[in-house]
Amino acid sequence: MDLGIQLKQGMKLEQNLSPQMLQSIKLLQMNSMELETTISQELETNPLLEMDETPDSRLESIDAPTRESSRQDGDDNSHDLMEPGMENTMDWAQYMEDGFRNAEAPFKDLGGRDPDEEWRPEPTRGLSMQEVLRNQLREWKRPARIVKIVEYLIDCVGDDGFLSPADKNLLDAETEQIQQDPDIAEVEEVLQQKKRLEDASYPVQEAFHVLQSFTPPGIGARNLRECFLIQAYRIPDFSPLAIRILEKEFDALKDLRYASIAKALGVSSEEVQKAVRELAVLSPHPGSQINNTPTQTITPDMEVVETAPGNFKVVMRREHIPRLRINETYRKLLLSPTASKQDKNFVREKLNAANSFIKSVDNRRSTIELVMNAILKKQHDFFAKGPENLKPMILQDIADEVHRDPSTVNRATNGKYVDTPFGVYELKQFFSSGVPQEDGSAVGSAKILDSIKDLVANEDSSAPLSDQAITDALMRMGMKVARRTVAKYREELRILPARLRKTVK
């Protein structure tokens, strides 16, 4: 065996993406809000790039000629900033020094716009869970020792509002502090269920009670049973039987074993049913009542409008995406005999970058529009008759239609929204698997999900439909679906099995 160093020559074919292609891919996968932010950043860093606010403007590239109509119509744009012959008389060195002095908005002086018009107030951020609870703690008059324990408990409250032990890594980092503070160590023993709260010291018990008295009710509970009890205790005239069920028969309640609960508590099944109905007012997610996440705003990229009965077209929305163009004043610097080579190289570099960015933004718009038109063609019944007519469709179907790679279609649909006659939808929602039928056709999973939801909503609660009964009902509706598929879809809809949906009348 020869293990020496050898020199070999060979040929192989590989595809390398150009910077232009990488930029186009990056912009295509952005949603409209991310694109707007990226454009703003590009406008701030590239003086050759500016917003085009003329009503009928087009995205122009380096090869696009200067439109004579713009000058004739008297539009206030960059073409008018340079009089004939000015490029031969202007002191470009001084101009470049003045033009690039303001790095934050290099072309703002050229536009002659009042900077106050561009100001937008920053949206206020919602308070976090811990901030809301600490604000309530400030209103309580308690000894410093108890306040310190409550502050530690607040840091242990998760986004769902429940208490949980400190993270293991955090415990390892703070082992010395916990060992030096017996109160904190005792709190961790309670949270890790190594000690009952009833057996803890008075300061620790009091700290738990203080936290659990905060709003929203149920905050600071260690489990669902305690969460429900905290809320029930704070509701005036709440059913004593419902509280007894929570205290003594919670495990049976989770399985809806009404007969077992009635026998254990010495009451009738009807009384148990009535008490359980009162529990419906209790929230299993107390943390959801604290809005600690920023509101996500959905901005549709396009709209499907009906031009005639049964005829639709795609209209791109561009009010949130500014039009872009090359600044003519800086571009004409390349033709100036008085400009230095260094200045021309700088402008040429920025010009190429601006032109590439404009083409990438335009390519994003055209690709999304192309994909949406293909979706409109494939899913015409959805737009004409409603969501229940959504057909099975995969990325490859649209990729074949628009002659693009499925990965390109995926980027063009993920995070992009369209305003339809039936509401706002993300483009990827139009893609769904289907269940094959005997005649070779396929039924969309969305239609099956809606049918299962309707069947369960209209069932007799005293005799709920089993998975096999739902399968038979779908068969009568012309949809052949396997029972295991029905069970999978039922779980996706978060519908309980028949035995847990049964109620006693």
Side-chain angles (χ1 to χ4, degrees):
M1 179 182 293
D2 186 7
L3 298 178
I5 299 176
Q6 297 181 355
L7 182 64
K8 293 184 178 181
Q9 184 177 9
M11 296 180 64
K12 64 178 181 178
L13 186 66
E14 26 175 66
Q15 181 181 11
N16 293 322
L17 296 179
S18 66
Q20 170 73 29
M21 295 176 64
L22 291 173
Q23 185 180 59
S24 295
I25 292 173
K26 182 179 179 181
L27 293 183
L28 180 60
Q29 64 189 11
M30 293 181 180
N31 59 38
S32 58
M33 301 296 288
E34 292 171 339
L35 178 63
E36 186 178 2
T37 301
T38 301
I39 290 177
S40 299
Q41 293 173 350
E42 196 72 19
L43 286 169
E44 291 178 357
T45 58
N46 193 337
L48 268 293
L49 196 64
E50 68 177 5
M51 288 188 293
D52 188 354
E53 299 184 354
T54 55
D56 298 323
S57 59
R58 296 288 186 269
L59 296 178
E60 64 172 337
S61 65
I62 185 172
D63 300 323
T66 302
R67 292 186 293 122
E68 293 295 331
S69 58
S70 298
R71 291 194 291 267
Q72 293 173 0
D73 296 339
D75 292 343
D76 183 16
N77 56 28
S78 60
H79 296 260
D80 301 325
L81 295 174
M82 180 170 288
E83 299 296 334
M86 182 180 290
E87 62 272 14
N88 296 325
T89 60
M90 180 176 290
D91 185 352
W92 283 108
Q94 182 63 39
Y95 179 80
M96 291 295 290
E97 182 180 351
D98 294 339
F100 292 109
R101 187 172 294 157
N102 184 2
E104 284 127 12
F107 62 87
K108 188 168 287 187
D109 293 336
L110 298 176
R113 184 180 306 157
D114 185 357
D116 291 338
E117 295 180 3
E118 298 297 320
W119 179 84
R120 293 181 182 178
E122 290 291 330
T124 56
R125 179 181 62 87
L127 296 178
S128 67
M129 176 81 67
Q130 279 65 35
E131 289 172 330
V132 171
L133 297 178
R134 283 195 173 88
N135 287 341
Q136 297 181 61
L137 178 60
R138 295 189 186 99
E139 301 175 1
W140 282 77
K141 304 298 181 183
R142 288 292 189 275
R145 180 182 178 185
I146 295 179
V147 170
K148 179 187 63 176
I149 302 174
V150 176
E151 288 179 340
Y152 182 83
L153 286 173
I154 288 175
D155 289 333
C156 296
V157 177
D159 292 338
D160 55 2
F162 287 87
L163 280 170
S164 59
D167 184 80
K168 183 179 183 300
N169 296 328
L170 182 62
L171 281 176
D172 292 342
E174 298 184 354
T175 300
E176 183 178 352
Q177 176 189 355
I178 293 176
Q179 290 176 348
Q180 293 178 354
D181 193 327
D183 291 335
I184 302 302
E186 192 174 12
V187 166
E188 281 300 324
E189 288 181 344
V190 174
L191 293 179
Q192 296 174 22
Q193 299 182 359
K194 296 179 179 179
K195 175 184 284 190
R196 297 195 314 160
L197 180 60
E198 294 79 5
D199 298 332
S201 62
Y202 169 78
V204 171
Q205 291 189 41
E206 182 65 12
F208 272 87
H209 295 156
V210 169
L211 175 62
Q212 293 174 357
S213 65
F214 291 165
T215 56
I219 207 78
R222 291 167 292 168
N223 50 57
L224 186 60
R225 172 179 171 273
E226 189 175 49
C227 175
F228 283 159
L229 281 171
I230 293 171
Q231 297 176 62
Y233 290 147
R234 295 174 63 174
I235 297 177
D237 302 325
F238 196 79
S239 168
L241 178 57
I243 293 178
R244 287 175 60 199
I245 293 173
L246 292 174
E247 291 176 336
K248 301 181 180 299
E249 298 295 329
F250 187 72
D251 290 337
L253 174 65
K254 290 191 295 184
D255 295 333
L256 300 181
R257 299 199 303 267
Y258 297 137
S260 174
I261 296 174
K263 181 178 179 181
L265 299 181
V267 296
S268 65
S269 296
E270 290 75 10
E271 290 177 295
V272 172
Q273 286 272 321
K274 183 179 179 181
V276 169
R277 281 195 289 269
E278 286 201 39
L279 297 176
V281 302
L282 306 180
S283 172
H285 307 289
S288 63
Q289 301 179 51
I290 296 179
N291 183 19
N292 59 350
T293 56
T295 302
Q296 299 294 326
T297 302
I298 294 177
T299 304
D301 296 81
M302 65 209 84
E303 181 180 2
V304 173
V305 297
E306 189 171 11
T307 57
N311 293 329
F312 300 89
K313 74 172 183 178
V314 177
V315 178
M316 299 298 295
R317 288 185 174 180
R318 300 196 57 174
E319 58 266 25
H320 299 287
I321 307 300
R323 300 173 186 265
L324 301 174
R325 67 180 179 187
I326 302 298
N327 185 288
E328 277 298 303
T329 304
Y330 283 117
R331 182 160 65 175
K332 288 185 178 181
L333 175 60
L334 296 174
L335 304 175
S336 171
T338 60
S340 66
K341 182 178 180 181
Q342 181 180 1
D343 292 342
K344 288 185 177 182
N345 289 338
F346 178 84
V347 172
R348 187 176 291 108
E349 176 186 349
K350 294 296 182 180
L351 179 62
N352 291 335
N355 184 64
S356 175
F357 186 79
I358 290 175
K359 288 181 178 179
S360 297
V361 172
D362 195 27
N363 181 68
R364 175 189 181 275
R365 180 199 59 77
S366 61
T367 302
I368 294 175
E369 185 176 11
L370 184 68
V371 169
M372 186 60 225
N373 276 303
I375 293 175
L376 176 59
K377 179 180 177 181
K378 292 281 188 180
Q379 299 286 2
H380 180 271
D381 289 346
F382 171 91
F383 298 97
K385 302 175 183 179
E388 64 276 4
N389 295 278
L390 187 68
K391 298 178 181 179
M393 186 175 69
I394 60 176
L395 291 173
Q396 189 64 53
D397 296 333
I398 299 300
D400 294 339
E401 181 74 20
V402 300
H403 307 293
R404 297 288 192 278
D405 191 85
S407 62
T408 301
V409 177
N410 182 52
R411 293 186 183 96
T413 55
N414 191 26
K416 317 303 186 301
Y417 293 85
V418 58
D419 191 357
T420 75
F422 303 98
V424 177
Y425 285 81
E426 188 176 7
L427 266 60
K428 69 178 182 180
Q429 292 181 261
F430 294 105
F431 298 91
S432 63
S433 59
V435 178
Q437 302 297 293
E438 292 180 347
D439 59 358
S441 62
V443 178
S445 58
K447 185 175 183 178
I448 299 175
L449 288 168
D450 289 340
S451 299
I452 294 175
K453 191 186 303 182
D454 292 339
L455 287 171
V456 172
N458 297 317
E459 68 182 0
D460 182 0
S461 59
S462 61
L465 297 173
S466 64
D467 291 342
Q468 185 59 52
I470 294 176
T471 302
D472 297 339
L474 292 175
M475 177 69 76
R476 292 192 293 271
M477 297 167 62
M479 292 176 283
K480 184 179 179 180
V481 186
R483 187 196 61 79
R484 62 180 179 273
T485 304
V486 170
K488 182 184 73 171
Y489 285 172
R490 175 181 54 75
E491 292 174 357
E492 287 183 12
L493 293 169
R494 296 185 178 180
I495 296 176
L496 296 172
R499 65 181 180 85
L500 299 181
R501 301 199 309 270
K502 185 176 181 179
T503 58
V504 179
K505 292 186 178 179

